[in-house]
Amino acid sequence: MFSDILYKALYATQKGQGYAFATITETTLKGTPRKTGAKMIVFQDGSSFGTIGGGRNEKAAIAECLKAIQKQKPVSVTYNYFGREGESVCGGQMKVFIEPFAVKDHLIICGAGHIALPLSALGKILGFKVTIIDSRRAFANKTRFPHADKIIVGDHAGELAKETLGPNTYVTIVTQGNEFDYECLKAAIKFPTAYLGVISSKPKKVKFFGRLKKEGIGQKYLNRVHIPMGIDIGAQTPPEIAVSIMAEIVAIKNKDYIGTDKFKRR
């Protein structure tokens, strides 16, 4: 069973999905359905594999795993089986250690032009896995992007759709043409990415959203799109535009810390 759980963890990592292990670290001699060492894995989507005993306590442990995945903080919890209100009636107690594992944040850049170059460099500096997608081999290559983790030469939208587009994925669309931009946006818009942004003017946004609505894309999906992407810093050059985009991405990534004094100097 343990080796199967490890295989599940490896597969989740390859697919870009976060997960947490829930391991029983201590139990009473009697009165618990599973004993010390029993383990299960809970995935970011709420599914799980393995068991620590089933019932309401396992359900509660799954909920704690999902919280731990979101906060990226391990936690130890105690579950009772004494038959009091809200407890199972087996007669024992167990302690469970919950350990979350995060998948590295993934920055996908559709386009390999002037903005993509500084954008990808900033992404690497900030610890993202960086993928470049472009149809032009003269632009999408290791000579131009030696720091990129992955370079894909092919149809922008088609290759983007093959990637794992999940909660740890940040998609930026900066291709060489409006139609390529639109097709990339349409390919990614229904996926639960952490960020989806398009280089754009305001008239371009109106045009794109009009087309998407005609194709049946609902407002809830349109509301997710950052278009024009980037915060307003009066950016004029490709490096400045890249800074504005990454600033917006970092703000979304660290939204739980904005407005707090957790990291302010005293």
Side-chain angles (χ1 to χ4, degrees):
M1 174 66 76
F2 182 58
S3 61
D4 291 337
I5 287 175
L6 290 180
Y7 280 124
K8 294 286 187 179
L10 176 62
Y11 182 73
T13 300
Q14 292 172 337
K15 296 295 289 183
Q17 185 178 24
Y19 58 91
F21 290 122
T23 306
I24 298 176
T25 57
E26 187 179 341
T27 67
T28 50
L29 187 62
K30 296 181 180 180
T32 59
R34 299 295 306 274
K35 298 303 178 185
T36 300
K39 186 186 298 285
M40 72 175 178
I41 184 172
V42 178
F43 303 100
Q44 195 166 1
D45 63 2
S47 62
S48 63
F49 179 80
T51 181
I52 57 171
R56 69 178 69 188
N57 286 335
E58 181 167 295
K59 184 177 180 181
I62 289 173
E64 288 293 339
C65 284
L66 293 176
K67 290 180 186 177
I69 292 168
Q70 184 178 22
K71 296 180 179 179
Q72 281 305 296
K73 292 182 179 179
V75 63
S76 184
V77 291
T78 300
Y79 296 110
N80 296 318
Y81 294 84
F82 299 141
R84 295 190 287 259
E85 184 177 353
E87 296 179 356
S88 298
V89 295
C90 300
Q93 185 183 74
M94 70 177 184
K95 294 182 179 180
V96 179
F97 179 63
I98 293 172
E99 186 177 15
F101 290 85
V103 176
K104 195 171 187 178
D105 292 317
H106 187 189
L107 176 64
I108 299 179
I109 304 173
C110 296
H114 298 306
I115 295 172
L117 193 54
L119 184 61
S120 63
L122 287 172
K124 286 303 294 182
I125 290 170
L126 292 168
F128 287 79
K129 173 186 174 183
V130 174
T131 294
I132 305 292
I133 303 174
D134 200 290
S135 58
R136 303 165 295 175
R137 192 175 298 276
F139 285 79
N141 58 69
K142 270 293 182 182
T143 301
R144 182 170 169 79
F145 294 94
H147 49 277
D149 297 281
K150 187 177 180 182
I151 298 173
I152 302 171
V153 179
D155 174 69
H156 300 84
E159 296 298 334
L160 176 61
K162 295 176 185 177
E163 293 294 301
T164 299
L165 303 178
N168 296 92
T169 311
Y170 298 75
V171 178
T172 58
I173 301 172
V174 288
T175 76
Q176 69 270 36
N178 285 346
E179 194 59 31
F180 295 128
D181 287 348
Y182 178 77
E183 291 300 325
C184 286
L185 176 58
K186 188 171 72 170
I189 197 167
K190 288 189 175 182
F191 287 91
T193 55
Y195 179 89
L196 175 58
V198 186
I199 197 76
S200 174
S201 61
K202 290 182 180 179
K204 179 176 171 179
K205 173 183 177 178
V206 172
K207 182 179 179 181
F208 275 18
F209 277 19
R211 289 178 65 182
L212 289 167
K213 287 178 181 178
K214 287 181 180 179
E215 295 195 46
I217 303 298
Q219 189 63 43
K220 69 175 183 178
Y221 296 111
L222 300 179
N223 290 342
R224 296 181 52 247
V225 183
H226 297 267
I227 176 171
M229 67 176 162
I231 62 173
D232 186 1
I233 59 172
Q236 300 297 311
T237 65
E240 289 176 349
I241 294 169
V243 168
S244 77
I245 294 168
M246 285 309 303
E248 185 171 60
I249 286 174
V250 170
I252 289 169
K253 180 174 177 286
N254 296 339
K255 61 183 181 295
D256 292 340
Y257 299 106
I258 293 177
T260 71
D261 61 358
K262 186 171 182 179
F263 297 108
K264 288 182 180 178
R265 294 183 182 273
R266 299 292 182 182

